[in-house]
Amino acid sequence: MPKIRTTVVITVILAATLTLAACSSSQPMGSMNDGDSASSAPRSSQGAFNDQDVVFAQMMVPHHEQAVEMSDMILTKSGIDRRISALATDITAAQGPEIATMNAWLTTWGASGTGMSGMDHGDTGMMSDSEMTGLKDASGTEAGRLFLTGMTAHHEGAITMAETEVSDGKNAAAIALAKKIVSTQAGEIQKMKDILATL
């Protein structure tokens, strides 16, 4: 009888010990998983990617940055057609957050830098330094025309880059953004052509 009682006691103690051990070991594991899921959320939410996705973001970031710079220039000027000012405001509002999104992707993908250095700006519609200076120094209707013609070429370059991403990219989020760029900027090109025809 004492032997049975002793066995029961030992069994209970062992069971309790194993339960406590399981609880204590599962807590760090749970905490680790939570931490891992939080830190890897950007990567997992964006899924797999390839070199084209990286190049797309590396090139589109400075491309967008110049569009925002052009828009900011025109918004500081007086005597600008209100339709042009409204368009510039829309471009800044749309492309600013997209820049932040693509920079976050590049960080998640372990990529850095941009893809514009050494490239022919004509291939992407980027304004040259002299063209940017011309826009900065212009005023009134002349500034409006320079903005519209420059931004039209800029948008056409962005659409070409985005279409390449749609056809060759792998990352779902990047492809979705590329499709949005194609749709939005094609619409804005038509608006700019319509406005330019009336100036």
Side-chain angles (χ1 to χ4, degrees), residues 30-81:
S31 300
M32 182 178 64
N33 288 340
D34 290 342
D36 285 353
S37 63
S39 63
S40 64
R43 182 179 293 276
S44 63
S45 65
Q46 290 162 25
F49 64 95
N50 62 12
D51 289 345
Q52 168 55 37
D53 298 315
V54 174
V55 170
F56 168 69
Q58 286 178 326
M59 292 181 64
M60 195 61 78
V61 165
H63 200 270
H64 270 23
E65 286 174 342
Q66 189 181 69
V68 171
E69 184 181 359
M70 292 166 66
S71 298
D72 287 344
M73 278 185 192
I74 209 73
L75 289 171
T76 64
K77 299 179 183 295
S78 58
I80 302 299
D81 189 293

Side-chain angles (χ1 to χ4, degrees), residues 163-195:
E163 287 174 338
T164 299
E165 169 62 17
V166 171
S167 63
D168 299 340
K170 181 176 184 180
N171 183 265
I175 292 172
L177 176 58
K179 289 179 178 178
K180 178 185 174 186
I181 288 171
V182 171
S183 175
T184 300
Q185 298 199 16
E188 288 176 346
I189 287 172
Q190 188 57 55
K191 285 182 183 179
M192 290 188 286
K193 288 180 176 179
D194 291 344
I195 296 170

